[in-house]
């Protein structure tokens, strides 16, 4: 029996020449390391989203600097800002144009719950029409909070065993705690 | 004007045109509300003849959050955080404009130190807004580097805001009759460091863009607006001044001690996209001048009005004195006791004239609060600017107008 050294999540290296891993783990690792965001910049949070993309916070460290304005090229939708009823249908339409597997981050109080805009025009949280994976509080959240939310999403992707979903339309249930209930990041 | 929400209209218009124009040179296309160069959620329906834009219908309201209605349901002080989110590129300037409007209704005048701090706030907001405006504008026409240079300096403005108010972005720094607190002791040295570094960045942006062949080709003589047209359309701010009209509320109707500062109002000559860029660059330089003067001459003394019926009394007094406790209770529960009346106040914000019309029937809550957002008015020029240009010039024109949908849709 040759000795296997663990090198990364679910991955072992055999005598420095062969890497043994599960296909699931490899694909999830690839997916989480190059999540291309769809920046759904609706309001103020979009400016903090831009700040996250700029030099000081540099979201490129997490492989998510390629902001794709075409939904067909993106993996994670970051809903940044107040979603009004007029915009809700369009947001949903863009979400549906994104290819699977896809994830959704509700950035800020407005996207998470309507926030301070309890008015006739504002949808009280984008989870009314989108399956949100990570909620980030704050009005707007600091870029650090967005990054933490993104790291949490990466953990969720690693735990999701998405590869199984290619063959069955229903996502396979996973026993990881990460997948139970929403994840909330304190952003302020 | 057709109903733009009616997608069937666009389909039928497209079909009718396809019948009349078999080679399909004419078409109706949709731009936005999710498009990188619309800087938010603006939707524009374009009618094209080949690559030439022959008709433009802007469709707004995708960020209508009901700010004006919300204002009717809360006290004057409670509305301050909502002003942050009007023009969310310059929250400090909005705070100042709103506080000044309510103070005009109340008929109070703030101490000189407060006025100077407010000038510092306004000019910081102008610098931060123009930096982002120019950065995004340059990115839209293909010069991505400028965005990173601009954002680096903008982060320093965010640091200053954080020192000032505790929040990076949405500051809510002013109060009716004063400020949230006095300048913290570490603020002025930080501001001076920032002012020392900023001219270098402005020079760098200048070097990257002003004589850049691609940038000049894409912006010169694109989207020309004559002075007469700009006045007719009600434009304000840098967009009006780029058309050659020397109108700046800081000079025309000085407020908050602006008459004591020495600065110039840059104006353009042609009124094209390039002039709008040049005017913004020069405004940053003038803001640096104003900030230097404000730091030098910052007066000592009180930083809020000495009237416990308007400005919250200090906490130690509230806890020890009966009268202050009552004042605090009244301000917090019922709001300031504003007289009945109707006032309009406008301030020169980075984007233009931000005005507040307050109709009061007395008491702590406005009966009606109308917000005149400069972006809303500036967007009216869009059809005039775009028609006759190529479809790729749309991004340059939109970037040069530098609007914010938050205050356009409110």
């Amino acid at each position: 029996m040759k000795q296997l050294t663990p090198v990364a999540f679910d991955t072992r290296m055999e005598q420095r020449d062969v890497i043994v891993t599960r296909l699931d783990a490899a694909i999830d690792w690839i997916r989480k390391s190059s999540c291309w965001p769809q920046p759904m910049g609706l309001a103020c949070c979009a400016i903090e989203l831009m700040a996250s993309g700029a030099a000081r916070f540099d979201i490129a460290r997490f492989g998510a600097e390629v902001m794709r304005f075409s939904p067909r090229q993106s993996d994670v939708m970051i809903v940044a800002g107040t979603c009004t009823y007029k915009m809700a249908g369009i947001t949903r339409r863009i979400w549906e144009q994104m290819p699977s597997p896809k994830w959704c981050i509700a950035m800020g109080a407005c996207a998470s719950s309507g926030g301070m805009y309890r008015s006739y025009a504002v949808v009280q949280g984008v989870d009314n029409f989108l399956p949100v994976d990570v909620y980030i509080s704050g009005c707007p959240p600091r870029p650090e909070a967005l990054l933490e939310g993104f790291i949490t999403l990466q953990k969720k992707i690693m735990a999701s065993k998405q590869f199984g979903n290619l063959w069955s339309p229903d996502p396979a249930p996973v026993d990881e705690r990460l997948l139970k209930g929403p994840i909330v990041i304190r952003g302020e | 004007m057709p109903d733009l929400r009616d997608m069937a209209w666009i389909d039928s218009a497209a079909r009718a045109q396809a019948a009349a124009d078999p080679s399909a040179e004419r078409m109706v296309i949709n731009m936005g509300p999710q498009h990188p160069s619309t800087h938010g959620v603006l939707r524009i329906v374009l009618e094209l003849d080949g690559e030439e834009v022959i008709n433009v219908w802007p469709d707004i309201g995708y960020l209508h959050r009901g700010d004006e209605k919300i204002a009717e349901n809360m006290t004057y002080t409670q509305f301050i955080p909502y002003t942050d989110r009007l023009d969310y590129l310059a929250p400090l300037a909005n705070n100042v404009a709103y506080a000044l409007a309510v103070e005009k209704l109340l008929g109070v005048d703030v101490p000189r130190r407060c006025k100077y701090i407010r000038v510092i706030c306004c000019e910081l907001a102008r610098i931060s807004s123009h930096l982002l405006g120019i950065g995004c504008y340059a990115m839209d026409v293909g010069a991505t580097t400028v965005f990173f240079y601009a954002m680096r300096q903008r982060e320093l403005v965010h640091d200053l805001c954080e020192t000032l108010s505790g929040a990076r972005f949405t500051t809510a720094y002013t109060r009716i009759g004063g400020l949230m607190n006095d300048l913290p002791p570490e603020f002025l040295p930080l501001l001076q460091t920032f002012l020392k570094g900023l001219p270098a960045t402005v020079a760098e942006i200048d070097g990257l863009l002003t004589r850049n062949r691609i940038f000049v080709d894409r912006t010169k003589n694109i989207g020309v607006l004559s002075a007469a047209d700009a006045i007719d359309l009600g434009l304000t701010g840098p967009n009006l001044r780029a058309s050659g009209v020397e109108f700046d509320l800081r000079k025309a109707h000085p407020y908050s001690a602006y008459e004591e500062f020495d600065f110039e109002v840059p104006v353009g000559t042609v009124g094209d996209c390039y002039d709008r860029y040049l005017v913004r660059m020069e405004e940053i330089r003038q803001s640096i001048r104003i900030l230097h003067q404000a730091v030098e001459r910052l007066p000592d003394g009180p930083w809020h009005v000495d009237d416990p019926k308007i400005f919250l009394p200090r906490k130690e007094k509230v806890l020890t004195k009966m009268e202050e406790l009552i004042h605090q209770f009244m301000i917090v529960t019922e709001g300031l006791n504003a007289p009945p009346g109707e006032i309009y106040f406008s301030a020169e914000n980075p984007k233009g004239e931000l005005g507040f019309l307050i109709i009061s029937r007395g008491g702590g809550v406005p009966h009606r609060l109308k917000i005149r957002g400069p972006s809303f008015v500036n967007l009216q020029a869009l059809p005039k600017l775009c028609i006759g240009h190529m479809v790729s010039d749309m991004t340059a024109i939109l970037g040069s107008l530098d609007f914010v949908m938050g205050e356009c849709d409110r």
Side-chain angles (χ1 to χ4, degrees), chain A residues 68-87:
Chain A
R68 287 287 112 169
F69 288 91
S70 164
R72 288 169 187 82
Q73 301 171 350
S74 44
D75 307 301
V76 50
M77 179 186 259
I78 301 178
V79 185
T82 318
C83 191
T84 59
Y85 284 103
K86 190 170 178 178
M87 195 63 200

Side-chain angles (χ1 to χ4, degrees), chain A:
Chain A
M1 182 85 191
K2 283 172 185 165
Q3 193 179 356
L4 296 177
T5 327
V7 290
F9 179 83
D10 238 8
T11 305
R12 312 250 179 299
M13 189 181 267
E14 185 187 317
Q15 288 178 350
R16 294 177 181 274
D17 51 359
V18 180
I19 288 179
V20 184
T21 185
R22 286 188 299 107
L23 195 54
D24 263 2
I27 286 180
D28 284 343
W29 177 74
I30 292 164
R31 275 181 181 156
K32 74 131 198 188
S33 309
S34 68
C35 251
W36 289 9
Q38 152 75 33
M40 200 65 208
L42 306 176
C44 335
C45 285
I47 308 299
E48 288 296 66
L49 182 58
M50 280 158 69
S52 314
R56 188 185 200 174
F57 297 100
D58 195 11
I59 204 168
R61 291 177 292 161
F62 307 98
E65 79 280 18
V66 197
M67 302 277 173
R68 287 287 112 169
F69 288 91
S70 164
R72 288 169 187 82
Q73 301 171 350
S74 44
D75 307 301
V76 50
M77 179 186 259
I78 301 178
V79 185
T82 318
C83 191
T84 59
Y85 284 103
K86 190 170 178 178
M87 195 63 200
I90 290 141
T91 311
R92 175 74 204 186
R93 191 166 159 173
I94 290 170
W95 170 257
E96 279 169 4
Q97 286 172 354
M98 284 167 60
S100 245
K102 55 192 171 185
W103 298 272
C104 178
I105 295 178
M107 178 182 179
C110 288
S112 301
S113 69
M116 58 198 275
Y117 288 99
R118 181 138 187 86
S119 80
Y120 56 89
V122 176
V123 182
Q124 300 298 302
V126 293
D127 48 7
N128 281 307
F129 57 90
L130 288 181
V132 177
D133 290 293
V134 179
Y135 298 86
I136 304 170
S137 76
C139 189
R142 298 176 64 92
E144 293 98 324
L146 175 67
L147 295 182
E148 197 197 337
F150 190 74
I151 294 166
T152 316
L153 181 73
Q154 287 185 327
K155 286 182 189 154
K156 188 168 178 170
I157 294 172
M158 281 304 279
S160 63
K161 304 200 167 95
Q162 285 279 349
F163 184 61
N165 301 356
L166 285 179
W167 309 109
S168 66
D170 300 327
V174 186
D175 56 353
E176 300 289 337
R177 267 187 305 139
L178 277 172
L179 296 180
K180 277 187 194 155
I183 301 165
V184 179
I185 305 291
R186 289 293 303 266
E188 281 164 314

Side-chain angles (χ1 to χ4, degrees), chain B residues 171-191:
Chain B
T171 48
Y173 180 58
T174 58
R175 294 290 180 272
I176 315 302
L179 304 159
M180 189 186 97
N181 50 21
D182 198 6
L183 285 186
E186 65 272 28
F187 179 79
L188 285 179
L190 257 179
L191 178 62

Side-chain angles (χ1 to χ4, degrees), chain B residues 343-354:
Chain B
I343 62 107
Y344 176 76
F345 177 83
S346 59
E348 182 71 33
N349 257 36
K351 305 275 185 290
E353 175 184 347
L354 175 68

Side-chain angles (χ1 to χ4, degrees), chain A residues 38 42 44 47-48 50-51 54 56-57 69 82 84 86 90 94 116-117 119-121 139-140 142-143, chain B residues 34 59-67 70 82 85 88-89 132 136 147 151 154-155 159 162 168-170:
Chain A
Q38 152 75 33
L42 306 176
C44 335
I47 308 299
E48 288 296 66
M50 280 158 69
R56 188 185 200 174
F57 297 100
F69 288 91
T82 318
T84 59
K86 190 170 178 178
I90 290 141
I94 290 170
M116 58 198 275
Y117 288 99
S119 80
Y120 56 89
C139 189
R142 298 176 64 92
Chain B
Q34 203 273 329
D59 181 14
I60 60 168
Y62 287 98
L63 193 52
H64 174 69
R65 308 192 265 203
D67 275 320
I70 288 171
Y82 287 87
R85 290 151 182 88
Y88 41 74
L89 299 178
L132 190 90
C136 290
F147 173 76
M151 282 306 267
R154 224 182 108 83
E155 283 297 329
D159 281 352
E162 202 174 339
R168 232 175 86 82
F169 188 85
T170 39

Side-chain angles (χ1 to χ4, degrees), chain B residues 22 32 81 132 134 171 260 263 317 374 389 409:
Chain B
L132 190 90
I134 291 170
T171 48
E260 296 173 21
F263 63 98
K317 282 192 179 166
H389 285 299
D409 294 340

